[in-house]
Amino acid sequence: MMKNRMCKLLSLVLAASMTFSLETMPVLAEEDDDSAVYQLEESSLDADELETISEDTAVLNTAKDEASTAEKDEAAAMELDVSSAMEPDEAFTLNLGGSLSWDVSSGDVIWVKVKAGNYAKKKTHIKVSVSGVTAYISGFYDLDNARSGSTFNEYNNISDSLLFPIAWRSSYYYFKIVAQGSGQMEVTGGTAAKEPELPKVDDDFCTNEALALYNTDILSVLEGMRSIRDNVLNQSSYGRQMSDYYYSISDTIVFEVLSDSAFRADMIEKADAFMPVIKEFVAISHGQPTGYVLTEDDYENIRAMKEELFSKLGDKDRTLGENLWNKLSLKDFVGRPFKEVVDDKVLTEASETDMAYCECMVYYDGDADIASIVSKVNDVLESNGINASVDYRESENLFGTDAKYVLEVNGFSDEDIIKDILTASNIFTDVEANYEVKALTNDVSYKYEWNLKNKGQKIPTRDKNGNEKKVAGKKNSDIKFENMKKYVGKQKTRKVKVAVIDTGINYTLADFQGIVDMKNAYNYISNNNDPMDDNNHGTHVSGVIAAKNGNGYSMAGICADAQILPIKALDANGSGDTDNLAKAVKYAVDKGAKVINMSLGIRRSNGDPVMPSECKEVEKAFKYAQKKGVTIVVAAGNESKNNLSYPANSKYTISVGAIDNKDKLAYFTNKGKGLDIVAPGVSIASLIKNGEVAFLSGTSMACPAVAGVVAQMYAVNSKMTPKKVAAILKKNSRDLGTKGYDRKFGAGCVNAYKAVIAARKGK
């Protein structure tokens, strides 16, 4: 991947100066192994996987033929004229443990394909390396993605050696190799078995760099982007606010750039159109302005790019961006030197209200037009000394007949104050704050899943100061998964639908094939049926619950009978609101979920908890779920408080705290009145959206451990109810801390084995 990563090219979109960067997962430490195809070991597989076994056996039986094909491809490759670009459909077969070579010139494009399925049980990654000539390598998990150029930035244009996870059940993985010099280039195929790692947060990959991978003009100004950030943007509060804003939306934008070729092409075209402005901005950052004058075309190109970018964002992010754009007043500078924009706007000090924003949900039963009512709201706020503008959007009233709207308050950030003022005004029949909801963070990697089987293995973790270290666990400090699995294997079970209300799921991964309810999946952020994860959180949570057992890929989930219903109610930044949360809960119940996992929480900005009485719509949805026999499992929160976050403090939920691999309370977990149970939540290995297995920590990781056990309880006994589930979990937990119930560990650590046996017996 490109070194010395520079950000902030698209800063020019929102102020001719808004910055863009993205923290990415690193490529993990490698372990080379160019071993040949091995024989499948005996494995206990369910009936659903017999077809898979047959396919893999066929692959192994034809391995010799594949090697022969690769040898022929190698011979042909030596004679290939690669002066023109290849297409993925013309890819050469690269045998793992073998190599191909060509005489190339700079800019030549070569495609190779690798069949990796027969390595899944022993290795975690394919390794493709280039020697002789420097080259960029990109990896794709199937032919369609290779044709469209859609991949994750971690596997896009990596210099000389690429590790690509064996996480998709595809006939071939495809690799694009772009020569950066002339001479003989050799491409080698191998495998690696690598440990999961903790995510790192010090390696930036930004939108301008993502675009630069596809456009040399953007690449040519990349080096100047850091000086724009450091010498201009960071010199004023307004500039810093624009930088902070992009940090908050960068996941969404980079994901779209790398995954949507049409969007990427449009962004490149628009960026090219105002390249003179970009170059002038770089010159200004170096103290060498040329006097370039902003043209009408420049303004229109920047505005058009802004509109295209904002179309990819949620309501709140789009509103905040519009606030910053409006403050810039860029159109007023057409016909004037661009340096005046920087001097008069970018370098001015911003007021505290520039980024202030909050929302409230309001209900009314009258016939008055909502626009006239909003006008009254503005007057009421002004009379209370609040200088803010109010907009609105319609929303669904899930449990009543009154009209419901979400009021968007620009210029003020405390939704509780707005709620109190509007309640006292008697304009509406009811008012609720629309609080922000936040995500709380014999398969090949099974040995790292200490939460399922703790042998005392060392697991990497971070302490509260961020220091990384490996910690040996306490033997048998786990959820008793293996005993549960043996017991369940002798029982008659049924499929159980588990709704995961989160950031979505990467449903293309091998471990999720056949277990995701795509027919009923829903995305409340984009209001469509595509729940693709653009964050990592939802994929990781879903993996803990239900990643396919025994298929050799990646990891093992807890409940082999679970079907995941992904409901995306959190955006690329892991944020959502209580309006969509209530909708998601009711939707899950109506679509047949028996278990709902909510690894998320709500708190006020000052750290105080939000109470159930303040989230009436969500509480109504919870009550609705309980009446329908649906159990809701919720994370306790990660603020290290002596009280639970909402909705863990709701009487309708099972609240879950986190422990480490020594049975110690995790330093970050909330505790206190109402805590029901704890589960492993420190350095939990599970899948993330790019196919890697990563260690993540949080009550978000503890919550799905309990949800997976609850799903298995329903699978052995369809007559389970939320009250029975809660009673069985607590009665059969592994006691920790003070004997009996306490507010640190609740009833103790979930014991999957005992809980499922008790559920089967109905007591």
Side-chain angles (χ1 to χ4, degrees):
M1 190 174 288
M2 296 182 186
K3 306 298 182 183
N4 300 320
R5 298 176 174 211
M6 308 290 180
C7 287
K8 324 314 186 216
L9 173 64
L10 293 182
S11 51
L12 296 167
V13 176
L14 297 183
S17 63
M18 295 190 107
T19 10
F20 297 80
S21 82
L22 170 68
E23 292 172 345
T24 62
M25 292 293 297
V27 175
L28 307 178
E30 2 180 314
E31 175 188 327
D32 294 333
D33 189 340
D34 294 339
S35 58
V37 177
Y38 66 95
Q39 295 298 315
L40 278 172
E41 295 180 335
E42 292 185 5
S43 177
S44 176
L45 299 174
D46 57 37
D48 293 340
E49 297 190 54
L50 291 178
E51 183 178 351
T52 295
I53 287 293
S54 176
E55 292 173 356
D56 283 347
T57 303
V59 169
L60 291 172
N61 289 338
T62 58
K64 190 172 181 179
D65 293 336
E66 290 179 21
S68 176
T69 300
E71 289 174 2
K72 293 176 183 177
D73 278 347
E74 180 175 4
M78 292 296 293
E79 301 175 0
L80 176 68
D81 177 9
V82 293
S83 58
S84 60
M86 290 180 66
E87 295 297 330
D89 301 79
E90 304 169 309
F92 287 97
T93 301
L94 177 62
N95 196 37
L96 294 177
S99 64
L100 300 170
S101 60
W102 298 265
D103 288 326
V104 299
S105 299
S106 181
D108 285 345
V109 176
I110 296 171
W111 284 89
V112 299
K113 60 183 180 180
V114 172
K115 179 167 272 189
N118 48 311
Y119 287 86
K121 290 181 182 290
K122 291 291 186 181
K123 303 299 176 182
T124 61
H125 288 70
I126 296 300
K127 181 180 180 182
V128 175
S129 301
V130 174
S131 60
V133 173
T134 297
Y136 288 137
I137 309 171
S138 300
F140 306 85
Y141 66 80
D142 64 11
L143 181 57
D144 286 341
N145 282 275
R147 287 169 175 163
S148 67
S150 176
T151 190
F152 297 94
N153 56 313
E154 293 91 339
Y155 316 129
N156 199 28
N157 281 38
I158 308 303
S159 180
D160 296 335
S161 184
L162 172 63
L163 287 165
F164 193 83
I166 305 173
W168 292 269
R169 188 175 289 280
S170 304
S171 297
Y172 288 96
Y173 294 167
Y174 287 76
F175 298 89
K176 178 183 179 181
I177 302 161
V178 183
Q180 300 300 299
S182 300
Q184 188 174 78
M185 179 174 70
E186 183 175 26
V187 179
T188 303
T191 58
K194 306 191 291 100
E195 294 185 13
E197 284 191 353
L198 296 168
K200 292 182 173 59
V201 295
D202 57 354
D203 198 14
D204 291 341
F205 186 84
C206 52
T207 304
N208 59 291
E209 184 166 309
L211 292 174
L213 296 177
Y214 302 90
N215 184 276
T216 55
D217 287 338
I218 298 174
L219 181 63
S220 68
V221 299
L222 200 58
E223 291 295 324
M225 296 305 101
R226 177 165 291 175
S227 65
I228 291 177
R229 180 192 63 198
D230 295 343
N231 298 338
V232 180
L233 296 176
N234 287 350
Q235 304 309 307
S236 74
S237 60
Y238 181 51
R240 287 190 296 272
Q241 283 184 351
M242 289 188 291
S243 296
D244 291 343
Y245 173 71
Y246 184 70
Y247 274 105
S248 73
I249 67 169
S250 59
D251 274 4
T252 301
I253 301 303
V254 171
F255 179 80
E256 295 290 348
V257 166
L258 295 174
S259 63
D260 185 336
S261 57
F263 176 71
R264 179 173 65 242
D266 193 36
M267 289 297 96
I268 290 172
E269 181 181 356
K270 287 179 169 61
D272 270 343
F274 62 87
M275 188 60 66
V277 178
I278 297 172
K279 291 180 177 179
E280 175 68 359
F281 201 7
V282 173
I284 291 170
S285 72
H286 289 300
Q288 299 173 332
T290 67
Y292 180 83
V293 174
L294 186 72
T295 68
E296 183 70 32
D297 285 344
D298 290 333
Y299 169 76
E300 288 300 329
N301 287 327
I302 293 171
R303 186 196 59 77
M305 191 171 192
K306 182 267 297 186
E307 292 295 333
E308 183 78 6
L309 287 170
F310 283 12
S311 71
K312 301 293 183 180
L313 303 178
D315 291 333
K316 288 187 177 181
D317 286 333
R318 187 164 54 249
T319 299
L320 293 174
E322 290 288 2
N323 289 346
L324 289 172
W325 170 262
N326 293 335
K327 179 179 174 59
L328 182 64
S329 303
L330 189 62
K331 188 172 179 61
D332 294 343
F333 291 86
V334 171
R336 297 162 61 183
F338 182 70
K339 189 175 185 301
E340 292 186 14
V341 178
V342 177
D343 292 342
D344 295 355
K345 290 293 183 178
V346 179
L347 292 179
T348 59
E349 292 301 312
S351 69
E352 293 182 358
T353 62
D354 285 333
M355 294 291 284
Y357 178 81
C358 66
E359 293 185 347
C360 281
M361 297 178 286
V362 297
Y363 303 79
Y364 78 102
D365 59 2
D367 297 326
D369 179 69
I370 182 64
S372 63
I373 291 179
V374 168
S375 178
K376 291 182 181 179
V377 169
N378 278 308
D379 292 340
V380 168
L381 295 182
E382 185 175 352
S383 68
N384 282 271
I386 295 176
N387 183 22
S389 62
V390 179
D391 206 344
Y392 66 91
R393 63 179 187 271
E394 191 171 1
S395 187
E396 179 185 3
N397 186 345
L398 300 174
F399 302 101
T401 58
D402 288 356
K404 177 184 174 185
Y405 291 88
V406 177
L407 298 186
E408 304 164 349
V409 183
N410 296 288
F412 197 77
S413 60
D414 194 325
E415 57 272 288
D416 289 309
I417 292 177
I418 299 295
K419 178 190 69 175
D420 291 343
I421 291 173
L422 294 182
T423 299
S425 72
N426 293 318
I427 297 174
F428 304 103
T429 57
D430 201 2
V431 182
E432 281 188 55
N434 193 22
Y435 292 110
E436 183 180 26
V437 179
K438 295 289 290 184
L440 301 174
T441 232
N442 142 51
D443 297 274
V444 68
S445 293
Y446 177 71
K447 61 186 176 182
Y448 303 112
E449 294 182 73
W450 70 264
N451 51 320
L452 306 189
K453 180 62 177 177
N454 194 337
K455 299 179 179 180
Q457 62 267 52
K458 288 186 175 181
I459 299 296
T461 186
R462 287 194 180 97
D463 61 24
K464 61 184 178 182
N465 297 316
N467 300 314
E468 184 175 335
K469 57 183 178 180
K470 280 198 170 185
V471 177
K474 178 182 176 183
K475 192 174 181 180
N476 296 323
S477 294
D478 51 47
I479 69 168
K480 311 306 173 193
F481 166 77
E482 292 196 348
N483 291 338
M484 180 203 75
K485 184 179 178 183
K486 290 177 183 178
Y487 175 78
V488 169
K490 300 175 182 178
Q491 308 302 315
K492 183 179 180 180
T493 61
R494 58 194 55 76
K495 293 296 182 183
V496 176
K497 191 172 294 188
V498 181
V500 178
I501 300 175
D502 213 292
T503 63
I505 186 174
N506 185 346
Y507 45 80
T508 68
L509 297 172
D511 265 346
F512 295 132
Q513 296 308 295
I515 64 170
V516 179
D517 181 9
M518 289 298 294
K519 179 181 177 181
N520 293 305
Y522 197 74
N523 183 332
Y524 279 101
I525 302 303
S526 301
N527 292 314
N528 60 36
N529 298 107
D530 185 0
M532 178 56 74
D533 190 0
D534 48 10
N535 175 280
N536 283 326
H537 195 268
T539 299
H540 198 278
V541 166
S542 297
V544 173
I545 296 171
K548 219 165 190 180
N549 274 251
N551 65 345
Y553 289 86
S554 302
M555 60 167 296
I558 291 170
C559 182
D561 294 303
Q563 182 188 43
I564 297 294
L565 171 59
I567 303 177
K568 183 173 172 60
L570 304 180
D571 62 19
N573 306 303
S575 298
D577 58 43
T578 47
D579 183 33
N580 279 336
L581 187 60
K583 293 175 184 175
V585 171
K586 185 175 186 297
Y587 181 87
V589 175
D590 291 342
K591 295 303 179 181
K594 299 308 294 182
V595 184
I596 298 176
N597 186 97
M598 298 174 66
S599 292
L600 47 80
I602 306 168
R603 277 189 180 265
R604 291 185 170 82
S605 57
N606 65 1
D608 289 343
V610 171
M611 304 310 293
S613 60
E614 299 175 280
C615 297
K616 289 176 281 189
E617 184 93 336
V618 178
E619 286 293 290
K620 289 177 183 177
F622 286 169
K623 185 176 181 180
Y624 177 76
Q626 188 178 76
K627 285 184 176 180
K628 296 287 186 177
V630 180
T631 298
I632 303 171
V633 186
V634 178
N638 298 339
E639 293 81 20
S640 192
K641 298 284 187 180
N642 290 319
N643 48 63
L644 306 182
S645 297
Y646 184 78
N649 57 3
S650 170
K651 66 180 181 180
Y652 297 111
T653 68
I654 294 174
S655 56
V656 185
I659 58 172
D660 65 15
N661 63 344
K662 290 181 177 291
D663 275 348
K664 303 295 184 183
L665 200 67
Y667 73 85
F668 51 77
T669 188
N670 292 341
K671 47 196 176 294
K673 182 181 179 181
L675 178 68
D676 291 310
I677 202 165
V678 295
V682 177
S683 294
I684 303 302
S686 185
L687 283 158
I688 55 177
K689 66 180 182 181
N690 64 7
E692 300 283 358
V693 175
F695 288 118
L696 298 183
S697 297
T699 53
S700 280
M701 284 65 248
C703 182
V706 175
V709 174
V710 172
Q712 198 64 70
M713 293 167 67
Y714 275 92
V716 298
N717 185 348
S718 61
K719 295 182 180 179
M720 282 288 101
T721 66
K723 289 185 178 180
K724 285 183 179 179
V725 167
I728 288 173
L729 285 176
K730 294 174 185 179
K731 182 178 179 180
N732 293 280
S733 63
R734 186 164 54 84
D735 193 25
L736 297 174
T738 304
K739 188 174 181 179
Y741 179 87
D742 62 75
R743 292 187 177 185
K744 288 185 176 181
F745 297 94
C749 179
V750 62
N751 187 320
Y753 177 53
K754 288 185 176 182
V756 171
I757 289 177
R760 179 69 182 86
K761 295 178 179 179
K763 57 182 181 181

